[in-house]
Amino acid sequence: MLRTVIVGAAATAAAGAAVAVAAGPAGVPGPGTTLGSCPVLPADNAFNRDISHAPVDRRSAAYVRSIGLRARLHPDFGRNRYGIPFRVVPATQAPVPVRFDAYGSESDKGPYPIPLDAPIEGGSDRHVLVLQEGTCRLYELFGARRTGRGFTAASGATWDLRSNALRPKGWTSADAAGLPMLPGLARASEVVGAGRITHALRVTVPRSQRAYVFPARHFGSGDADPALPPMGLRPRLKASYPLGSFHGQARVILRALKTYGLIVADNGSPWYITGAPDGRWDDDDLHQLDRVPGRAFEAVRTGPLTRR
């Protein structure tokens, strides 16, 4: 994950501050999504908006080309521990100290109610995601490691999942785009249980530009090339792309990508969508997604670019 530290007015705000921002122009509110007893952001939040009829961005062709016309969609999650795990904890979960050693000036101060045995994502990013029931607050860490009776992390952010409040302008989160991660995960409880996903899915791109677009609040690159996608970009699977040859879990995901699309949240492999590991995933079924090429997508216009 490449992060660029921004120094400006936002960086002088108190840690934990949030900015209330009206919903962006793209799409219409969906039915909303829930997890446990909590909403996963309001129904009119950008993650939950139906963008199937939103206008195409004028730079869509360039953005898609830069991500990869021939590169294929890929599920970066599956059974067992493959993906980004999360934990739902009760309102009584005891808080533990969290220390930040890289992006502390853009992190929300601890303590966080994270169990000491909370699952940590494998690989280099080492994300920890915890949703606390009752308070409906989301706690997310990047670069986390257990230290003593708490955690040390590169950065961290907390979110009220009943609110549309954003990070202060220019602030990162546990994700490069300054967005919450849990709302963008594919979850087996939705696909296997309800048979539908009603929110955007998180996606990574090889290179991004030094800019972000609503609802992102942070860029993860120093490259000024306007053909590169900004953080927060919303690619959508084209309505004309045929789904007749897909079945099961893959078909549910592809229907969601036509309605709610993707949201660019980090630098990484092209068209990798993120989900939580779960024994209910069928890996063979999910790998039907590998047949979908980048040229099947178009980028939706969600607002002006912010470059600082």
Side-chain angles (χ1 to χ4, degrees), residues 86-112:
F86 67 88
R87 175 78 62 86
V88 178
V89 300
T92 55
Q93 179 67 44
V96 299
V98 179
R99 184 178 70 87
F100 299 105
D101 60 5
Y103 305 98
S105 65
E106 295 178 17
S107 294
D108 295 332
K109 296 183 184 302
Y112 288 12

Side-chain angles (χ1 to χ4, degrees), residues 104-269:
S105 65
E106 295 178 17
S107 294
D108 295 332
K109 296 183 184 302
Y112 288 12
I114 299 177
L116 294 179
D117 64 348
I120 299 176
E121 179 196 12
S124 60
D125 284 354
R126 299 183 61 81
H127 290 109
V128 172
L129 280 57
V130 167
L131 168 60
Q132 186 178 45
E133 291 198 287
T135 65
C136 292
R137 290 202 69 88
L138 174 63
Y139 299 83
E140 299 186 336
L141 300 177
F142 162 61
R145 54 217 184 265
R146 168 93 176 270
T147 52
R149 300 301 298 172
F151 291 86
T152 296
S155 63
T158 71
W159 311 85
D160 180 353
L161 291 183
R162 296 166 295 196
S163 169
N164 282 327
L166 303 178
R167 305 288 286 162
K169 183 179 178 181
W171 277 33
T172 189
S173 61
D175 219 355
L179 293 169
M181 301 185 72
L182 180 62
L185 298 184
R187 302 191 297 275
S189 59
E190 300 172 299
V191 176
V192 178
R196 65 174 185 162
I197 295 174
T198 58
H199 57 85
L201 294 180
R202 178 183 182 273
V203 70
T204 59
V205 299
R207 297 171 60 207
S208 59
Q209 66 166 291
R210 190 182 187 274
Y212 57 90
V213 65
F214 180 93
R217 302 296 277 174
H218 185 264
F219 49 73
S221 170
D223 198 324
D225 185 350
L228 297 175
M231 287 293 155
L233 183 72
R234 294 292 293 274
R236 170 183 67 197
L237 187 62
K238 293 177 180 177
S240 60
Y241 188 77
L243 300 185
S245 64
F246 297 91
H247 59 79
Q249 296 176 3
R251 188 181 178 95
V252 172
I253 291 170
L254 292 174
R255 285 203 305 263
L257 298 190
K258 288 192 174 191
T259 305
Y260 300 94
L262 299 162
I263 187 161
V264 174
D266 199 359
N267 301 300
S269 298

